[in-house]
Structures are given as structure tokens and as C-alpha cells.
Amino acid sequence: MTDWAAFQYEIYGAGVFTGAVPRLPTDLTRLEEVARQRLGPGPFGYVAGSAGDGKTARANRRALDRYEIVPRMLRDVSARDLSVELFGRKTASPLALAPVGVQSIMHPDGEVAAAKAAAAQSIPFILSSASSTPMEQVAEAMRDAERWFQLYWPKDPEVTKSFLARAKNSGYRVLVVTLDTFMLAWRPTDLDTAYLPFLRGVGTANYFTDPAFEAGLGKPVHEDPRAAVMHFVQLFNDASKTWDNLPFLREHWDGPIVLKGIQHPDDARKAVDAGVDGVVVSNHGGRQVNGAIGAADALPGVVEAAGDRLEILFDSGIRTGDDIAKALALGARGVLLGRPYMYGLGIDGQPGVEHVIRCILAELELTLALAGHSSVGSLSPADLHRTS
Ligand code: FNR
């Protein structure tokens, strides 16, 4: 049994006894505005920005807003349990923190703060390949808490093998392979400020600490950081990979493999054929293909194509507890949270991330209970009304 909902009484109680109010908004849709006021334009723009004119990011919101929950009454929801099983392990809720690179641009403690927040709240943390902190250091800070590793699949197979071995040795259990970002999309917010952290050597920590990466350099990273950055750029972009390359990953990773960025039902079927364990229905928060389908509009097709053969996770546009409920009702088993926790990190470090996790899960639990659900398992598309 879980009690995320108790957070509201903790807040009200603190108000009564000490006069304190939360340091961050509890309506998480307000975080972006607070972050805009507190953070520099480069870092804020890097997180908030999308591809092109932002059409896909808007489509993500529109797709979720199109669905409305139809509450059911007189059901016993006194004992509630939000737990789900993700890739063979029970987790306290269907939420995980999405892989987000370069977190030190938001807060000096970067990924370590976010990972510790996830661990403290029993939420899986997915560490990006483009982390600003080496994966071993993040793992150490998390002790035995659940962590997954996200791979941007390098051009150099030796670096890929080395990343997978390092991730395994440092306790990352699930491999999330992001397929949608083998090149960076046209991102006007970053272009207009000429801001790309990687070119300043931020978000390259996993590469710059990797022996296979270093082997491809003429001089050690600290002696020629510019050459190291150029090598990173060259190795990061690989537009040549196809489904035929996937067995390589299976050969070098013996845990669950999840493909992130799937939007077409045929690609979900290909994922089944490739023998992977799951997919993340995601358009990278609208940061890659501008004009792409809203992620929640892509979800039902993927569920229909492969929902009984793959574990399906969802992200892109999740901002509130009811958004999570909708994604689960549409057939996702779990949901990844992206920008909101980055804003929490930027505004208040680890406590800011914990605040975001606690708010969204409290809101999820209350939404489910008030709509007649004591667990996520009873949700189905029949609990939703599609407005257009
Ligand atoms: C991302 N995302 C991402 N995904 C990934 O697989 N590896 C990465 O390194 C990153 N980096 C990254 C940086 C920033 C600043 C953002 C906002 C996003 C995508 C992320 O995992 C997730 O798909 C989106 O954040 C979901 O969209 P919303 O909910 O943030 O709109």
C-alpha cells in the first residue's frame, strides 16, 4: 500500500504548525515560469526549448488534453497501491525520471542531486549517456537504488562496449537505447543564443572518462580538450544505424533492453521481432522532429501493435498526475518525467526534484482514487473520453 497522497496533509500541517508554505509551486505547470525567472537564458532555453517552432511540443500537450478522465463512484478505494512491475522488478509507482543530459547546467550538483532525489523517493533514475557526471559517480551516490542507463549509441563499437560494461559494473539494470537523436534537430532557441553545452565540454563526462574513447585521441583529454570535444561530436552522430545493428547490443548487454523514441506501430512490431523487452513511446519532448505526431496520439497504435509482447513506457508532455493516469489508461505500463524535474533541480537542487516527484505522485494517487481506482491495473481506455 502506498500513501503519496499524504503529502498534502504534510503541507497543510506545516502551514498550521509553522506557517511554512512550499518553496516551489504545487501546480507543476507553473515550474517553467519560475525557472525562466531564476535561471540564465542559455540553460533555461536548452531545457525548455524544442525543435523548430515548437509544434511537436504543443502537439504533445494537445494529445494529452484531448483525453478526459471519466470518474467512477462508490468503489472501495480505501487501500491504494500504485506499484507496478517494470522489467521484472516491482517499483513503488509507475514513474521514472527520464534520461536528461547535461544536468549541471541547471544546478552544480547535477545528476547526483537528481539521482539521490529519485533514490529517496523510490523512483528509478535513468542516467543519460550525455551526463555531466560520470556514471560511476552517480551510481555511488545512489547506493543500491534502482537505476537504468540510457545509451546514445556511439559510432565506435569499442566505446559502445566500454559504456555497456561500465554501466553493468556500476549497477545499472536496464539499458534504454535512444533511437531518435543520432543528430541534433534544428533547435532555434539554442541557435539564437548559440548555446550548446557539449561544445564547452559539458555533458561529455562519460566519454571523457572512458578508456576506449581516450584511445581514439592523440593526447589525453586534459591536454587537448578541444580535440576531445571534436572527437565526441564525430562519434556521437551516427545516422547509419539500422535494425540490423541491434543484435550487437544484445551480445554485450544481458539485462532488459528498451528502445526509446518509438512512435509508429510498425516500429513497435520490429522491436518485438528484434527481441527487445520494451519501448518508450516518445518524441523526445518535441525536441527532434518538428511537426511530429503528439506522443499520446502515437501511444494507442503502439499498444495495439505490441502491448502484449513488450512493456510500453511513455513520455513527452507529462506535467501532472492526471497526465500519468491518462497514459496508463491508454496502455502504458510506466511513464517518464522530463522537463518538470529539471525545473525542480534548477530552482532548488535535490529537494526541488523530490518536491516534483512527491507532487506528481500525490496528484496521481488522488486523481486515481477520486476517479474510482485503487491501483493502476484497473485503468483502461474505457476510463477516458476523447474530445476530438
Ligand atoms: C532530454 N531528453 C533526453 N533523452 C535521452 O534519451 N537522452 C538525453 O540525454 C536527453 N536529454 C534531454 C535534455 C533535455 C534538456 C530535455 C528536456 C530532454 C528527452 C527526455 O528523456 C524525454 O524524452 C523528454 O524530456 C520528454 O518530454 P517532456 O515531458 O520533457 O516534454
Side-chain angles (χ1 to χ4, degrees), residues 35 135 156 168 187 191 200 243 272 296 320 333 337 345:
M135 61 181 105
D156 181 342
K168 195 84 205 166
R187 295 182 180 170
L191 291 164
R200 302 162 193 220
W243 293 92
V272 172
T320 59
R333 183 180 293 213
L337 189 65
L345 178 66

Side-chain angles (χ1 to χ4, degrees), residues 46-49 60 98-102 128-131 150 152 176 178 180-181 260 282-287 315-319 336-340 342:
Y46 184 74
V47 172
N60 287 339
V100 172
V102 291
S128 166
S129 279
S131 165
Q150 176 266 326
Y152 278 136
V176 178
T178 299
D180 57 20
T181 310
K260 178 169 181 280
S282 165
N283 56 33
H284 215 100
R287 297 164 72 79
D315 77 28
S316 296
I318 296 287
R319 298 290 177 270
L336 313 185
L337 189 65
R339 290 182 179 91
M342 289 299 280

